[in-house]
Amino acid sequence: MSAHCQLTGAQPGFGNTISHSHRRTSRRFDPNIQRKRYWLPSEGRHVRLTLGAKAIKTVDRIGIEAAVARIRARGGKV
């Protein structure tokens, strides 16, 4: 599963881990990605979305229909 959110487009960030001796090694900051299944009443089917935790709260606030419309507007497949 790729670590990006279908709704917000959040992707991993990259940086450095800095040790006590101040040596730097590469690290990756992954978003909190979850796979969630929603009922889409307009199409009469379930959709499975890959969303970040923040995007799940957004779907709860704006509704699944509006969220799917935003994903499709970004060019995403649902």
Side-chain angles (χ1 to χ4, degrees):
M1 175 169 61
S2 66
H4 79 278
C5 175
Q6 287 181 291
L7 183 60
T8 62
Q11 294 179 333
F14 295 89
N16 291 309
T17 299
I18 303 178
S19 70
H20 180 70
S21 64
H22 220 65
R23 288 181 63 99
R24 292 161 188 208
T25 55
S26 295
R27 65 159 293 176
R28 180 171 146 150
F29 296 89
D30 285 325
N32 185 7
I33 298 296
Q34 311 290 326
R35 294 214 3 120
K36 191 138 170 70
R37 188 171 171 243
Y38 290 99
W39 173 252
L40 193 58
S42 65
E43 297 181 15
R45 68 184 182 105
H46 285 95
V47 292
R48 190 176 299 275
L49 301 176
T50 305
L51 301 171
K54 183 179 176 182
I56 292 173
K57 295 173 190 172
T58 302
V59 171
D60 291 343
R61 192 178 74 246
I62 67 173
I64 187 62
E65 297 288 344
V68 167
R70 283 189 192 180
I71 292 170
R72 288 182 173 149
R74 291 187 52 192
K77 182 182 167 205
V78 177

